[in-house]
Amino acid sequence: MTAASAPAALPAGFAAGPQTDAVRARFAHVAMRSAPAPMAALSHGVGATVWDVDGREYLDFLAGIAVNALGHAHPALVAAVSEQAARLVHVSNYFTTEQAVGFAERLVRLTGAGESGRVYPANSGAEAIEAAVKLARRTGRPRILAFEQAFHGRTMGSLALTGKPSLRAPFEPMLPGVEHLPTDLDALEAAMGDDVSALVLEPIKGEAGVVPLPGGFLTAARELTARHGALLIVDEIQTGAGRTGDWFAFQHEGVVPDAIALAKGIGGGIPIGALVTIGAASELFSLGQHGSTFGGNPLATGVASAVLDEIERSDLVRNAARRGEQLREGILALASPLVTEVRGRGLLLGVGLDRPVASAVVAAAMDRGLIVNAANESSIRLAPPLIIGDGEIEHFLTIFSASLEAAT
Ligand SMILES: *Cc1c(COP(=O)(O)O)cnc(C)c1O
């Protein structure tokens, strides 16, 4: 193997098994060079546990980046995939299905969008944001405001909104009219005007290391956008579907946005996204102005409905709130000298570290059978499945404590 195709080194402290190494080497040959070296090659999972191709077991506290809301191989998801696959997988947007309509109705109900609520079904988070960008353009106003350090996706429209200059720079010129502000009400007030089409924001910046908006910020942003006739578009791609202990994070502050971008957890692992609009925003698109071949596909929408139904039936939204508090208290009680704070809400938590050792913590955790994520070098992101209970939390705290110690 040439040096150029060798897998990138994993952080010291985690040595993968031989089968994993073999798959990683093949990955390094065939994957686009934009793909990072995989931590492991996973084989199967049950609940909050996954196994790699060497048979090593891991407690999964990342859940495919806040995607596997029901964990792995949940019977409700398995049944929905199997039954829908045997019935009808795809029909194109020349037709509709009971599954597509039921999914849209469910999102309207859960978001509280009400009578004026409308849904555009997409296939990913970035596509939900692309729809939001086109929606903003339909106001006829040229400017879109977003925040520094925000993450909204990697396609050209969603990348333009993403507040990390290093991600945008290789692909300039960007979509014109987008401005990134510090997450600060004075900056927002100064930038806001009647030429602003939309403000796009995450209630909690997940990719930035789980950084919540300051208390009251969302309410103030709603007042300011309303005063100037600008849309407030909330990106709930990571925070939605019960993850933060409410169905959607905007509901904690009781604001009503104009549009909500969704993906990740709403499908429990099936690729799906959606843009939900409310009120006048539901009238901005006219016939034929947006669409997708796969969007609203009965397999994806049928499975997403089953996932959302199970979250409701088993009250996993409340479980996320309760387990999130339990986790936060448990982590703080470890009294690790590395841990400065636990940010976030429900089961989307960011553990702040006092030095840049997050990838060493991740490697130490992998070595001990735990998957967590280094959102950046001073933050560990936790986004376990919403189904976790006392057993998983206890197991997590034991391994996480040892991993922090190993990285100290
Ligand atoms: C993951 C994510 C996206 C992009 O979603 P993809 O499905 O990866 O395209 C956008 N916004 C937020 C907040 C996300 O967490």
Side-chain angles (χ1 to χ4, degrees), residues 13-397:
F14 176 62
Q19 301 297 325
T20 296
D21 266 345
V23 178
R24 291 179 68 235
R26 284 164 52 207
F27 182 94
H29 272 282
V30 76
M32 196 58 71
R33 291 199 183 277
S34 50
M39 303 283 300
L42 299 177
S43 153
H44 59 286
V46 175
T49 305
V50 285
W51 286 266
D52 71 15
V53 291
D54 288 295
R56 290 199 193 174
E57 184 179 313
Y58 303 89
L59 176 65
D60 184 1
F61 263 47
L62 183 57
I65 318 186
V67 166
N68 303 316
L70 304 183
H72 302 280
H74 191 286
L77 187 143
V78 172
V81 171
S82 314
E83 284 163 24
Q84 193 56 45
R87 174 189 291 269
L88 192 67
V89 167
H90 179 77
V91 297
S92 90
N93 46 10
Y94 285 110
F95 301 93
T96 192
T97 59
E98 179 60 40
Q99 287 71 30
V101 175
F103 168 73
E105 287 171 345
R106 190 179 289 268
L107 287 187
V108 165
R109 175 168 61 82
L110 295 175
T111 55
E115 272 304 298
S116 68
R118 290 191 177 266
V119 177
Y120 169 75
N123 309 293
S124 67
E127 281 186 42
I129 295 290
E130 290 294 330
V133 169
K134 286 179 74 175
L135 187 82
R137 286 295 199 241
R138 289 290 301 137
T139 63
R141 298 176 175 201
R143 299 170 63 214
I144 301 178
L145 305 182
F147 290 118
E148 291 168 0
Q149 298 306 312
F151 185 82
H152 297 295
R154 303 283 215 137
T155 56
M156 286 304 284
S158 63
L159 180 61
L161 296 185
T162 290
K164 293 184 180 171
S166 62
L167 295 184
R168 299 195 305 266
F171 304 101
E172 282 169 353
M174 287 286 117
L175 184 77
V178 180
E179 292 159 53
H180 293 96
L181 311 175
T183 311
D184 169 312
L185 273 182
D186 290 337
L188 182 59
E189 197 145 11
M192 188 55 70
D194 293 348
D195 56 353
V196 171
S197 61
L199 169 66
V200 182
L201 55 75
E202 299 160 272
I204 300 174
K205 288 180 191 152
E207 298 298 309
V210 189
V211 182
L213 286 176
F217 193 99
L218 204 52
T219 306
R222 174 68 288 184
E223 282 167 12
L224 205 53
T225 45
R227 199 183 319 143
H228 289 276
L231 301 172
L232 176 65
I233 301 175
V234 292
D235 179 344
E236 294 255 8
I237 290 167
Q238 193 157 155
T239 50
R243 177 142 302 271
T244 69
D246 219 329
W247 268 101
F248 302 98
F250 73 82
Q251 293 166 337
H252 294 302
E253 277 203 30
V255 305
V256 180
D258 298 293
I260 307 149
L262 299 171
K264 291 203 166 98
I266 60 168
I270 279 283
I272 190 166
L275 185 73
V276 181
T277 55
I278 303 175
S282 290
E283 307 306 319
L284 285 170
F285 278 129
S286 54
L287 186 63
Q289 287 185 331
H290 199 42
S292 156
T293 298
F294 285 136
N297 159 318
L299 180 66
T301 53
V303 173
S305 287
V307 168
L308 295 171
D309 192 57
E310 177 59 22
I311 293 174
E312 248 184 314
R313 203 184 59 79
S314 296
D315 205 359
L316 297 180
V317 179
R318 214 180 49 161
N319 194 56
R322 188 164 141 242
R323 300 305 180 178
E325 273 321 297
Q326 205 179 333
L327 259 179
R328 180 197 308 273
E329 284 162 21
I331 294 164
L332 292 173
L334 296 177
S336 164
L338 275 189
V339 173
T340 57
E341 58 176 349
V342 181
R343 302 180 294 265
R345 195 156 186 167
L347 289 176
L348 182 59
L349 296 176
V351 181
L353 306 177
D354 77 341
R355 64 203 88 154
V357 291
S359 47
V361 173
V362 167
M366 286 288 286
D367 198 47
R368 290 163 177 75
L370 169 69
I371 297 175
V372 294
N373 170 249
N376 55 54
E377 268 309 296
S378 58
S379 311
I380 299 291
R381 172 172 44 182
L382 306 175
L386 308 186
I387 53 160
I388 60 164
D390 291 333
E392 285 87 358
I393 291 180
E394 208 175 296
H395 188 184
F396 164 82
L397 289 171

